[in-house]
Amino acid sequence: MAEGQPRITTAGTRAVAAYGLMIGGVILLYLWIRSYGETLGAPLASGTAIFGSAASRANAGDLLHVLLALVVVIATARAMGSIFRSVGQPQVIGEILAGIVLGPSLLGRLAPGAEGYLFPATVGPALNIIAQVGVILYMFLVGLELDPALLRKRGHTTVAISHASIVAPFLLGAAIALYLYPKLSTGDVPFTCFSLFLGVSMSVTAFPVLARILTDRRIHKTRMGAIALTCAAVDDVTAWCMLAFVVSVARAQAAGAVATIAMALGFIALMIVVVRPAMVRLSLVYGNRGRLTQGVMAAIFVALLISASATELIGIHAVFGAFALGAVIPHDSGMARELTDRLEDIVIVLLLPAFFAYTGLRTQIGLVSGYEQWMMCALIVVVASAGKFGGSVAAARITGLNWRDSSALGVLMNTRGLMELIVLNIGLEMNVISPTLFAMLVIMALVTTFATTPILHLITRHEIPEVQPFPEFGTFSPEPMVAPQAPILAPHPAPHAAPRPAQPPARPMMAKTDHSAILVPVSNPEGVAVLVELALAATPPDAPPPRVLALVKTPPGGVRSGLREADQRVPPRSPALAAALDLALERGSIITPQAVWTTNPAADILAFAKEPQIGWLLLGSHRAVFGSDFMGGVVREILDKARELPVHVAVVIHGGERPLDRVFAVVDRGIHGRAALDLALRVAIRKKSGLHAVLVPEDGTAEDTELLDLIRDAGRALGRRLHTDVLSAPTAAQLARQTPGGLVVIATNLADKLGLSAEDLTDPKRCVVVVQGSDSAPVQFGAHAAEHHRTAKP
């Protein structure tokens, strides 16, 4: 046998033969079983029906149509929602319009064959069930977002404004019912039901959309914004109670309406007296375990389904039960927060688009035809707007608001959005309103919601919003603990822990010299390691530990109003901060962590940089801080505005695979060069490594006296470990040859002068830092480093 050729053993041959015999034996045995089995007989079918079998053959293609319809619906809803959000409109307007575009109002007119294929009549029941489940879950989430404190904290003022914003449009809606009933209703619908429903449909305010508009414009903490939120919360609860009453009247006979209302009141009492305490206990179970287990989720879903079924059996629709259960779960609990996080995406992305499509398929704008009917539609829009705006403004003026705030409040209360569609679909299902009136009211909901943002901008464009500062540093962070020999890192708070009550924050240990702490903003876990390593290495022994600030963008929309995030009542969960804490624990070092919600990262980072102890701002490239490139986007905005602050800024170009044991500083005598030398000297002293200073003289010669004096001062701090060189040629290539270390710190003006690009600076084997100094920030190496050099052990 040739050398290197595999040797076939006798044992291997036997194994292959045994395997072949086993497979062959199985085949032969089955063939024998089959030949005998075909000679046997069996009784005839009993005819017992199996659930779903009757439709399985007739509607074999329905599942394909449903799935295809959902693909088209989701893609169109997301695309149109993004377009409307990009122009400053609520995303829900685009999603509602997507449903109408795909229905008979547009697609059915332009391409009836495509509409007939995507949405055949046979998929209607399936789409309806998906839509109903989506609405039930959505109303549950709306209940979770409802803050009971808003219903209590402003007393008679907001209750008066809220009820005025309901009473006025309700009465106007009931009044125009006298004109619309003979023209748009039918004889089998009692006028009482018609007028009550029309009045309620005029009275609805969409709390989630209103709150999102306020938080996006950062005016939710102004007096007008706070009143608007409270009024909308009161309006929401009152309007849903009114609708429950109207539905109970419409579904029951005159004698049965009283029984329905009595059972509804009993249901509400049961939710408050029995279910709410149970949910409080369940939230405590959640808090003890720190996460939403499958058992807790199952209990909540069972309660949700029972609650929705109970209100459906009572006769006031399943959405009320879902809303009620959400409202009795503690609003600011970690359980409520995680429930929203887990459910919102599936509801917003998958289920609600099905509801919009189902609504769009039922909306036939073509039914509104002729001059008279379009005038009726215009009348509905005017009456709905005048009722909401007029009632709110009149009540606000009586309670003491000025004309501008009163007008802004009236505009905000006119927001309807998705909540109006839910009301209208209930009315259409009950045949209280006709398809023509349904189309008119859908148009009214779109127009009033669309008009809110531009009119509000016109009213408040000259106002400066009352921007609330973040809580003082440490509010949601563990207090740093310092031990002389073995530093201890305080444990990070549980990601779902309830926020602590407001109290004076504990300050970190004060350094002997101000402006010595390093602030490290992070957002992406991938860039955290090099930032924290460098911050720890650049922190003098007597300075406060590095402050790691995790920036988490406020959720962009959906069910969330954004209030809990904007008010910092719920601390964000940041994988970047968790990575920083893990690294510090692994190193046995100390950091001061904090996570904050943000809608404007540059402004928020600069606000924290104004803290009296902060002397350095250590930024990562765009992977660690929001931005487009390492010196652009948010990083560029921070660099430009930080010149006015007493803080040096260092931008870290990610790398750092090599240890920081050979430090190079590319400096001149300017403020940026001094700051770069300061940072490099801090690291060299703390790491007990050598420092190579590559000098770039002002006049191109080595006789730059001021620069040499600066280097002598650094030498006194570092001793013999300082080595100097002069950049022999002002090129990026020459700089790369003269700085072969693991850490290169360069002044920003020299990086610009040498024409360094991202490609020149990005080296996976080393860390490159570009430093911008500040005229008003002290350079600390002369004090810190010299003292440390005298006291450090050899």
Side-chain angles (χ1 to χ4, degrees), residues 259-285:
T260 301
I261 295 171
M263 286 189 291
L265 293 175
F267 171 80
I268 294 172
L270 182 68
M271 296 296 290
I272 295 173
V273 175
V274 177
V275 179
R276 178 171 175 78
M279 288 297 144
V280 171
R281 293 191 191 95
L282 196 61
S283 68
L284 293 177
V285 172

Side-chain angles (χ1 to χ4, degrees), residues 526-535 583 618 652-656 660 767:
E526 293 181 8
V528 166
V530 65
L531 290 172
V532 174
E533 289 275 14
L534 183 59
L583 180 65
L618 191 61
V652 179
I653 310 305
H654 288 216
L660 306 179
C767 177

Side-chain angles (χ1 to χ4, degrees), residues 52 82 118 162 211 254 288 297 399 428 433 436 520 537 561 676 702 726:
S82 299
L118 289 174
S162 177
N288 293 333
M297 284 284 287
T399 54
L428 187 61
I433 59 174
T436 303
V520 187
S561 63
V726 177

Side-chain angles (χ1 to χ4, degrees), residues 165-166 169-170 198-205 235 239 242 388 416:
S165 72
I166 293 176
F170 177 83
L198 195 60
V200 170
S201 67
M202 300 286 182
S203 307
V204 174
T205 294
D235 197 338
M242 290 174 60
K388 274 289 185 184
R416 287 177 171 83

